[in-house]
Amino acid sequence: MTLAWILVPIAVLLGLLFARHAYWAWVAGGGLLLLGWGLSGSLSALAVGLPFAALALLFGRPELRRRWITPQLMPRVARLLPRLGETERIALEAGTVWWDRELFSGAPDWSVLFDFRIAELSESERAFLDGPVEELCQMLDDWDVSQAGDLPQSVWKFLRENRFFGMIIPEEHGGLGFSARAHSAVVQKISSRSITASVTAMVPNSLGPAELLLHYGTDTQREHYLPRLARGEEIPCFALTGPEAGSDAAATQSEGIVCRGTYEGREVLGMRLDWRKRYITLAPVATLIGLAFRLLDPERLLGGETDLGITCALIPADLPGIEIGARHDPMGIPFQNGPTVGRGVFVPLDFIIGGAERAGQGWRMLMQSLAAGRAISLPSLSVGGAKLATRVVSAYAMVREQFDTPIGRFEGVEEPLARMAGLTYLMDATRVLTAASVDAGEQPAVLSAIAKTYLTDALRQVTNDAMDVRAGAAIQRGPRNVLGRVYDAVPVGITVEGANILTRSMIIYGQGAIRCHPFALAEIEAVEADDLEGFDRAFFGHVAHTCSNAGRALLLGLSGGRLERGAPPGPARRYVQRLSRISAAFALISDACMVSLGGQLKRREMITGRLADALGWMYLASATLKRFVDAQTPPTDRALVRWACEHALARAEEALDGVLRNLPARPIAWLLRPLVFPLGRRERGPADAAISAVAAAVLDVPETRERLTSGIFIPPPDEVGLGRLEAALGKAIAALPVEAKLRAAVREGVLEHAPGEALASAALAAGVISGAEIEALHAADAAREEVIQVDAFAADDYRKLRR
């Protein structure tokens, strides 16, 4: 009988884990207890086995459960579920879920990720990157741009003529018709040269008039505006943010009143608009304003509600009553950005995007269109900046010497250099996967929010590390400091397109918990519809799902993920298994938070922020592994993948641990901890050996550095900044064997230690090195001397600098 008692919890656990239905777990446990009674005659086994069997019958038969159990549960559960406002519902219905659903499930199907095919760039897309984009980068001098406060007119002309503003516009409308991945590659390359030029090119291709016209415009609107936008005859901006409505864009006080008025000499039914907007990129030079406002119809001229809701319209910027042209100065990065004000601007109703029938549908249009732009623009800019920083610092770490040693050989420099390289690899993998999901037809609302939030934040870490390594040279402004403008631009990316604080705490997990969860949205909809059968199906599916994840989390925790059966063979296998363990833990903790906090969860933003961190780092690690596997697990990438995965796993586990430490329902937290961390926390982050391996790979294996920073602009070798640094790196590498000879001669007593040139001359005299070798040393020294210089300005010139 003792054996039966021991087997019961095992049977329940296995039933939950593999059958994925609580009913079969109850049946397994009760059946074993009844078998124990039959074998031993023990009344205690019978006393426990019968309730097991009764519960299995009651909960396992839907018709009995819906008669006796579900009617009592439904009103109680309803009080715990969040109430969805109309704007929340529209946001939740917008976009699609894909790999995020798998991560949220606790049992990701890894074939969904690894069988997903990322399309290659087309020949025309590659030609554009190698042709017009390369030429544009050659035209740009970012220091001159920063001092002039704008792009040169020749650059504006080039952008127009080569249809940079029409990358997302189909060819039949005069645009380039590029894929999301190509659009991303263009933004990445330009941003490695000039943040100002990158923002100028990417904004018309992000959320704005072209995107909205493609999806919602009338045929007449598309035929008129899209060719003009593609050719740059119209410069668009999109006016959404106002003083009263930042992250809460739906709270806008910009209004339109339906009324009759005169437009171009004829009386028409239209709207009289008043707005105040700020932080609008391209507004100072825009000829066409995409405007979001609340449309009111107090006289019911349209025959419906008086408050029609958020509406989007296209407004020519030269109409009477519009004030435009003033500029903000976003951290000194001189892309065109400023306010726009409209007072009593009258336009016909057919200026509404999609025509009058689209009145009041603006919020839905914005939410459904936001994912594509957010998935591409700022993530791609961030990756371009990170690749530039990593390329600059990895070269500088070999060229710059202290104590007769390249600074990259010091462990204090290895650590930030490895972090830069590992994050850059992870960021680029995320950029490519997220853009590819858009190309595959997804509208990844949650994944695009993750990409925007965590890649812009990772750029902050990469640029901070770059500043630390370059030290004094990093803080001197001037044409030699190619990272200064990237550093200044970091807060801009973190703030715009949804401030990271809001996106992390409210959108990633707030939307993800309902959209990606297998049952949460179905439960909410069933309660709102008073659908007892639908609620029963969703609720008990949720219960079984939670129980299954409890067993899965425990077993994967005990085995370190090794019981995960869906992991592919090869070097990525253990990381996939460990990610599966984190996913199971995340799903179980997430359900516990939803149950214990109910509708209050969305206001516990420190809790939801940590859950967003766990989900976000799981996605970034998944993207890293996807890139590694797709590339056939090249040995040159293994150190980078190891660092990136170890870092992401540690950050995800740290976030889950933080949830448990701060969950208000302490008994639930105490119960969860031995389930999700049965052997304590397992993920410690990259070890010192892994850090050194990444630094060595970036410094000593040219192929690794080239692959890691591919896709950015490399200036000519005579250009100050990266160009001369690259040339100096080549000369420094050529001199390394000679320097090794000198050190060996000193170590063996052949030469006395002396300062650089004296030692080299003594070595030449002693026959330790040849004339060609001392010339290599001289060339490297001269190149070093040049690239470690910083800018200095005459007093009069300094006073003229734009700050």
Side-chain angles (χ1 to χ4, degrees):
M1 183 57 214
T2 302
L3 179 61
W5 282 100
I6 294 173
L7 290 176
V8 167
I10 297 174
V12 172
L13 188 61
L14 291 175
L16 293 172
L17 182 61
F18 296 112
R20 301 188 64 82
H21 200 295
Y23 170 62
W24 294 111
W26 289 109
V27 168
L32 277 177
L33 280 170
L34 289 173
L35 177 63
W37 169 73
L39 294 175
S40 65
S42 170
L43 292 178
S44 61
L46 179 62
V48 177
L50 286 175
F52 260 93
L55 287 170
L57 180 64
L58 181 60
F59 284 94
R61 301 288 297 180
E63 64 273 16
L64 295 178
R65 190 175 65 222
R66 291 167 188 168
R67 180 176 180 182
W68 300 105
I69 303 298
T70 306
Q72 308 303 317
L73 280 174
M74 190 171 173
R76 291 171 171 80
V77 173
R79 290 195 290 269
L80 297 175
L81 295 175
R83 298 181 182 276
L84 300 180
E86 184 61 20
T87 56
E88 289 178 300
R89 182 175 299 281
I90 290 172
L92 286 170
E93 291 172 353
T96 60
V97 291
W98 174 57
W99 179 242
D100 39 343
R101 181 195 295 273
E102 296 296 327
L103 293 173
F104 222 102
S105 72
D109 179 356
W110 289 96
S111 66
V112 171
L113 180 68
F114 291 122
D115 290 348
F116 176 68
R117 291 291 169 256
I118 297 176
E120 296 294 330
L121 298 180
S122 68
E123 289 186 13
S124 62
E125 291 168 342
R126 291 188 181 279
F128 189 78
L129 283 164
D130 295 338
V133 178
E134 183 76 11
E135 187 176 350
L136 171 65
C137 290
Q138 292 169 358
M139 295 172 67
L140 291 164
D141 183 318
D142 202 37
W143 174 252
D144 286 349
V145 170
S146 71
Q147 293 306 298
D150 193 7
L151 297 171
Q153 286 305 307
S154 59
V155 170
W156 278 101
K157 183 174 183 288
F158 187 85
L159 290 170
R160 289 185 174 98
E161 290 177 346
N162 288 276
R163 296 179 291 171
F164 278 83
F165 300 142
M167 284 188 282
I168 67 169
I169 296 175
E171 292 180 280
E172 59 264 31
H173 292 295
L176 296 173
F178 280 175
S179 65
R181 186 175 178 192
H183 175 192
S184 172
V186 171
V187 173
Q188 172 190 248
K189 186 167 185 174
I190 302 174
S191 66
S192 72
R193 182 61 160 173
S194 168
I195 297 295
T196 298
S198 180
V199 171
T200 301
M202 80 187 189
V203 165
N205 294 286
S206 187
L207 177 62
E211 176 82 8
L212 294 172
L213 283 168
L214 285 169
H215 293 292
Y216 308 106
T218 65
D219 289 342
T220 299
Q221 289 172 339
R222 283 195 288 264
E223 289 168 6
H224 175 74
Y225 281 117
L226 289 178
R228 296 172 61 83
L229 289 166
R231 294 191 297 265
E233 295 172 14
E234 298 278 10
I235 299 297
C237 69
F238 191 77
L240 178 62
T241 302
E244 74 294 334
S247 297
D248 185 11
T252 182
Q253 293 179 16
S254 300
E255 289 185 349
I257 305 295
V258 178
C259 61
R260 295 192 178 277
T262 301
Y263 185 80
E264 294 183 343
R266 56 191 178 91
E267 183 177 321
V268 296
L269 185 61
M271 310 168 286
R272 194 165 303 280
L273 301 166
D274 292 276
W275 73 81
R276 288 188 307 147
K277 303 290 187 177
R278 63 182 183 181
Y279 311 150
I280 310 304
T281 298
L282 296 184
V285 295
T287 62
L288 183 66
I289 304 170
L291 183 69
F293 58 95
R294 183 170 295 279
L295 184 61
L296 305 175
D297 185 11
E299 299 181 29
R300 298 184 187 273
L301 296 176
L302 298 180
E305 300 292 330
T306 57
D307 185 348
L308 297 173
I310 302 298
T311 301
C312 294
L314 295 178
I315 313 298
D318 59 356
L319 292 180
I322 295 178
E323 297 176 17
I324 201 166
R327 292 185 65 178
H328 299 309
D329 186 14
M331 295 303 293
I333 308 300
F335 59 89
Q336 296 283 342
N337 182 278
T340 174
V341 176
R343 294 186 176 91
V345 180
F346 181 81
V347 296
L349 282 177
D350 59 13
F351 279 32
I352 294 173
I353 296 176
E357 59 269 28
R358 290 282 187 180
Q361 297 184 27
W363 185 246
R364 186 179 301 276
M365 292 159 62
L366 292 173
M367 291 300 98
Q368 290 176 344
S369 301
L370 180 61
R374 191 165 58 186
I376 297 167
S377 298
L378 289 169
S380 305
L381 184 150
S382 298
V383 173
K387 286 185 175 183
L388 173 65
T390 300
R391 190 162 187 115
V392 166
V393 171
S394 59
Y396 188 79
M398 286 298 290
V399 172
R400 179 63 163 151
E401 290 188 346
Q402 292 288 272
F403 310 105
D404 296 326
T405 303
I407 63 171
R409 302 304 184 191
F410 294 94
E411 287 191 356
V413 173
E414 281 186 348
E415 186 172 16
L417 178 59
R419 186 162 52 236
M420 292 175 66
L423 285 175
T424 298
Y425 186 96
L426 175 147
M427 293 167 69
D428 195 32
T430 304
R431 174 189 70 85
V432 172
L433 180 61
T434 310
S437 73
V438 175
D439 286 331
E442 300 290 342
Q443 295 176 314
V446 174
L447 295 183
S448 67
I450 291 172
K452 186 270 172 182
T453 300
Y454 291 90
L455 267 58
T456 55
D457 195 65
L459 177 62
R460 171 161 53 187
Q461 180 66 65
V462 169
T463 52
N464 282 343
D465 284 333
M467 298 289 281
D468 288 349
V469 174
R470 296 201 75 208
I475 61 174
Q476 306 304 325
R477 297 175 67 227
R480 292 176 178 271
N481 187 353
V482 297
L483 297 182
R485 272 81 70 194
V486 178
Y487 180 83
D488 290 341
V490 166
V492 179
I494 285 172
T495 300
V496 300
E497 289 194 5
N500 283 7
I501 289 176
L502 168 84
T503 305
R504 170 181 175 267
S505 62
M506 296 180 65
I507 296 178
I508 293 174
Y509 184 77
Q511 288 192 19
I514 298 175
R515 285 301 310 277
C516 301
H517 193 283
F519 301 101
L521 184 58
E523 289 169 324
I524 293 171
E525 291 176 338
V527 166
E528 291 181 348
D530 198 25
D531 178 3
L532 183 69
E533 183 176 338
F535 174 79
D536 176 89
R537 186 166 49 250
F539 178 79
F540 284 98
H542 193 162
V543 170
H545 170 77
T546 302
C547 293
S548 174
N549 276 329
R552 180 177 170 81
L554 177 59
L555 291 180
L556 292 180
L558 290 170
S559 67
R562 288 178 175 83
L563 293 179
E564 167 58 50
R565 295 168 292 176
R573 181 175 179 80
R574 281 296 295 135
Y575 296 119
V576 169
Q577 291 176 330
R578 290 159 65 184
L579 261 177
S580 295
R581 180 184 77 85
I582 296 293
S583 174
F586 167 79
L588 182 60
I589 292 173
S590 176
D591 274 331
C593 291
M594 294 167 74
V595 169
S596 63
L597 292 171
Q600 297 181 14
L601 178 57
K602 66 180 180 181
R603 291 185 290 275
R604 301 302 298 262
E605 294 170 17
M606 286 186 277
I607 296 290
T608 58
R610 293 185 184 99
L611 290 167
D613 288 342
L615 180 61
W617 284 106
M618 283 194 292
Y619 177 57
L620 269 59
S622 301
T624 298
L625 292 170
K626 169 67 173 171
R627 171 176 171 168
F628 185 50
V629 171
D630 281 0
Q632 307 299 315
T633 63
T636 52
D637 287 2
R638 291 188 183 184
L640 292 163
V641 172
R642 180 183 180 188
W643 189 98
C645 289
E646 296 285 354
H647 178 75
L649 286 163
R651 292 294 299 272
E653 189 179 75
E654 178 185 28
L656 295 178
D657 180 62
V659 174
L660 293 182
R661 285 188 289 106
N662 293 278
L663 191 65
R666 299 312 302 154
I668 292 180
W670 297 332
L671 178 64
L672 285 176
R673 186 169 288 278
L675 288 175
V676 298
F677 301 136
L679 301 178
R681 287 186 53 184
R682 304 285 293 271
E683 305 299 344
R684 305 299 181 188
D688 290 353
I691 292 170
S692 295
V694 172
V698 173
L699 296 177
D700 298 332
V701 184
E703 182 184 351
T704 297
R705 182 171 179 265
E706 290 297 324
R707 285 167 59 88
L708 181 62
T709 60
S710 63
I712 68 172
F713 176 72
I714 307 299
D718 60 342
E719 181 178 297
V720 296
L722 179 58
R724 292 186 184 176
L725 188 56
E726 288 284 308
L729 175 62
K731 293 173 182 177
I733 291 174
L736 285 176
V738 187
E739 293 172 349
K741 280 187 177 182
L742 297 181
R743 287 194 296 270
V746 170
R747 188 170 55 250
E748 294 166 4
V750 176
L751 297 173
E752 294 288 333
H753 187 273
E757 179 58 29
L759 180 62
S761 298
L764 179 64
V768 174
I769 60 175
S770 66
E773 288 174 322
I774 199 170
E775 287 300 320
L777 286 176
H778 288 160
D781 288 342
R784 284 193 187 95
E785 181 67 18
E786 160 57 29
V787 298
I788 66 173
Q789 299 304 309
V790 297
D791 295 290
F793 304 92
D796 288 344
D797 292 336
Y798 180 78
R799 283 191 287 270
K800 296 174 185 176
L801 291 180
R802 180 181 179 271
R803 295 175 174 80

